[in-house]
Amino acid sequence: RTSTGSDTTDTGGSGTGTGVGFPTDPPKPIRFAEKRPEFPGGDRALVDWLSREIKYPEILKEQKKEGIVYIEFVVSESGKVSDAHILREVRDAPQFTEEAIRAINKMPLWIPGEQNGHKVPVYFALPINFQLR
């Protein structure tokens, strides 16, 4: 009688913790962290970056439309910004929403949030004010 070895093959389901073939679920973002994520250079640098990056939509400029868009996104444990979505938008101004999401998705790496001394993904909400000057 010969063995094919199939009865000794480790499929990863034995609970040994090898993780072969089973991706680990990423940690779920939290709402509040002991140390919140921070834009490199702080809040002033964030405001400066947004003012350089955000382009006022021409059609809304012509209509003299203004307003605040509230965006929420996740700052991962590596500082990467992802999952940007709208919490509140300006009525009849979807261009504000599109521009805010576009800018958020281009952000540089942040300093991650921390909980119990460990870097963790954290939700971050940000108002973006579209105001004519």
Side-chain angles (χ1 to χ4, degrees):
R1 186 168 154 136
T2 60
S3 173
T4 61
S6 62
D7 54 339
T8 60
T9 302
D10 183 5
T11 60
S14 64
T16 61
T18 62
V20 177
F22 293 96
T24 312
D25 289 335
K28 291 192 186 323
I30 61 175
R31 294 255 167 230
F32 304 100
E34 292 167 349
K35 181 177 174 233
R36 72 183 197 119
E38 185 179 335
F39 189 84
D43 291 343
R44 183 72 234 166
L46 173 59
V47 170
D48 291 345
W49 187 90
L50 286 170
S51 66
R52 285 190 312 272
E53 187 60 40
I54 293 206
K55 309 295 180 234
Y56 211 102
E58 283 300 319
I59 186 89
L60 299 178
K61 198 183 283 187
E62 292 167 9
Q63 296 171 2
K64 298 189 182 343
K65 189 93 167 166
E66 296 182 329
I68 300 174
V69 173
Y70 291 85
I71 307 279
E72 183 178 64
F73 52 91
V74 174
V75 177
S76 76
E77 60 271 32
S78 67
K80 184 177 180 342
V81 169
S82 66
D83 302 325
H85 60 275
I86 293 296
L87 292 177
R88 193 172 89 197
E89 57 191 332
V90 178
R91 185 180 179 140
D92 300 323
Q95 298 89 342
F96 285 154
T97 300
E98 293 163 13
E99 181 57 17
I101 293 282
R102 183 199 66 76
I104 296 298
N105 286 330
K106 288 183 68 177
M107 283 189 162
L109 290 178
W110 284 49
I111 299 163
E114 291 184 17
Q115 188 74 14
N116 297 323
H118 294 78
K119 293 177 180 173
V120 293
V122 180
Y123 287 106
F124 197 94
L126 187 66
I128 298 180
N129 189 4
F130 288 88
Q131 187 174 10
L132 294 167
R133 295 180 181 182

